[in-house]
Amino acid sequence: QVQLVESGGGLVQPGGSLRLSCATSGFTLDYYAIGWFRQAPGKEREGVSCISSSDGSTYYADSVKGRFTASRDNAKNTVYLQMNSLKPEDTAVYYCATGPTLLLDPDEYDYWGQGTQVTVSS
């Protein structure tokens, strides 16, 4: 019943921007923190950002701080990740997931989307 569906990925040039969406259903979004994670080929899954359920406060990994912005629209059951100044090293499959805390530990998150591919290349 719980479902998260990522969209908005694609191919973008270095320095470009993308906005990812995480559409949710089967639960009340405002009760959960939502994390964004990514996994590149040959690498472990990495926390990118999370946004709280209570006041919308956010946390970012150092690698994306100042470039990525998470936001949420609880009425639309949707969370967003605005990605600016993209770099080739941002290339990965990006996932959203539900969690109880403002942490970037994948083990703290219970429900996951299927992921959306982001490729940053000239």
Side-chain angles (χ1 to χ4, degrees), residues 77-94:
N77 292 324
T78 301
V79 174
Y80 305 95
L81 184 67
Q82 178 68 44
M83 306 186 296
N84 299 326
S85 302
L86 283 162
K87 305 174 180 179
E89 49 263 47
D90 295 319
T91 296
V93 176
Y94 283 71

Side-chain angles (χ1 to χ4, degrees), residues 12-57:
V12 65
Q13 295 183 5
S17 298
L18 287 173
R19 189 177 78 158
L20 305 184
S21 297
C22 175
T24 72
S25 61
F27 66 100
T28 303
L29 180 60
D30 56 322
Y31 292 166
Y32 295 89
I34 300 294
W36 287 96
F37 301 84
R38 65 188 182 187
Q39 189 163 18
K43 301 185 72 173
E44 295 294 319
R45 188 166 296 185
E46 173 189 24
V48 175
S49 177
C50 54
I51 182 166
S52 74
S53 62
S54 56
D55 59 2
S57 60

